[in-house]
Amino acid sequence: MSSNNQSRPLTNPNKVRFRTYLLARYPVNQRDQLRAWGADDEYLLDYLDAQHIKLNKNLLIINDGFGALSVCLAQYEPKVVSDSFVSTLSIQNNLIANGIDKSLVTCIEPLSLATVNQQFDIVLIKVPRTLALLEYELMVLRNLVHEETIIIAAGMTKYIRSSFIDLFDQIIGKTTTSLAKKKARLIFSKFNASVSYVGQAYPMIYQLENTSYEIV
């Protein structure tokens, strides 16, 4: 991976089996010096490389920010879940910028995740900052994985609270974490079909008072 909004290369790009990519944050702001990826993206890609994890076309990516994971792993034709139009636009633009056919990556909304008729062998999750979003995604994920599915989440340590880790443990199954690296951490969760979890019913629907409108 390389570059911010101005497509400048990193001085020390990732040395992984995935080649160097140009990534930008969209919409482009020439004054924005923030990178289009984080240490958690790097940690996750480095881990996949170091552990020689066999990737295939049954790959699900959840909450990719600006395409760091989607672009690097596009050859495996992943399904990518995002609740952000900006993130989806970034992924599509970064695919095009790197000469990758954007049809290789299928972007879907979180509420459409439940309609996916597929079981995934590998699930990569960027931990969201909203606990409710993570709860919904993990509840749906139970129907999309099997007991051999590799489930790895990544996030910055300042955003990974114990309540987030507890959700993985309660909804998916036995969960462990990695050591911190560059203030990022990985979460490893093993699906256990016998785990029972009763949480909030999503989506939440409210009737707007004195109208015929519903808020979802």
Side-chain angles (χ1 to χ4, degrees):
M1 293 182 291
S2 67
S3 173
N4 61 5
N5 277 347
Q6 300 177 18
S7 297
R8 298 182 304 183
L10 285 175
T11 56
N12 184 26
N14 277 352
K15 296 179 179 179
V16 295
R17 56 181 152 157
F18 318 113
R19 65 182 179 85
T20 300
Y21 298 89
L22 297 175
L23 299 176
R25 296 165 60 98
Y26 288 88
V28 173
N29 180 349
Q30 297 300 328
R31 296 182 179 180
D32 185 0
Q33 297 299 308
L34 296 175
R35 300 185 307 179
W37 70 94
D40 46 355
D41 295 303
E42 294 179 333
Y43 199 170
L44 181 50
L45 289 171
D46 283 341
Y47 179 84
L48 294 175
D49 186 53
Q51 298 299 315
H52 303 288
I53 292 177
K54 185 178 180 180
L55 298 167
N56 59 41
K57 293 184 179 180
N58 287 325
L59 170 64
L60 177 65
I61 300 173
I62 301 177
N63 304 325
D64 193 8
F66 297 96
L69 301 179
S70 304
V71 172
C72 290
L73 303 175
Q75 62 182 304
Y76 303 105
E77 301 180 20
K79 284 187 169 59
V80 180
V81 179
S82 175
D83 73 330
S84 167
F85 176 74
V86 172
S87 292
T88 300
L89 183 64
S90 296
I91 292 169
Q92 294 173 341
N93 278 278
N94 282 322
L95 287 167
I96 294 171
N98 286 278
I100 301 171
D101 184 353
K102 67 178 185 179
S103 68
L104 291 175
V105 176
T106 302
C107 295
I108 58 179
E109 301 172 330
L111 293 180
S112 298
L113 183 59
T115 66
V116 175
N117 185 24
Q118 181 179 351
Q119 281 203 317
F120 295 94
D121 297 324
I122 301 176
V123 179
L124 306 177
I125 305 171
K126 290 291 294 297
V127 178
R129 299 187 189 184
T130 306
L131 192 65
L133 176 59
L134 179 62
E135 181 183 29
Y136 166 75
E137 291 170 340
L138 294 181
M139 288 171 64
V140 175
L141 187 61
R142 284 185 53 84
N143 298 318
L144 304 176
V145 297
H146 51 81
E147 294 195 348
E148 299 303 317
T149 299
I150 297 172
I151 303 173
I152 309 173
M156 302 306 293
T157 54
K158 62 182 177 181
Y159 299 127
I160 300 179
R161 303 188 295 274
S162 59
S163 56
F164 284 66
I165 298 173
D166 289 344
L167 273 185
F168 280 92
D169 203 57
Q170 295 166 10
I171 300 175
I172 301 298
K174 184 178 180 180
T175 298
T176 59
T177 61
S178 71
L179 296 175
K181 181 179 180 181
K182 294 183 180 179
K183 298 182 180 180
R185 192 180 301 277
L186 300 180
I187 299 171
F188 309 98
S189 200
K190 184 70 173 176
F191 175 60
N192 183 348
S194 65
V195 168
S196 178
Y197 178 80
V198 179
Q200 172 65 49
Y202 293 107
M204 300 172 69
I205 302 174
Y206 302 91
Q207 185 72 40
L208 192 59
E209 187 175 0
N210 300 320
T211 76
S212 59
Y213 296 109
E214 287 184 336
I215 299 174
V216 182

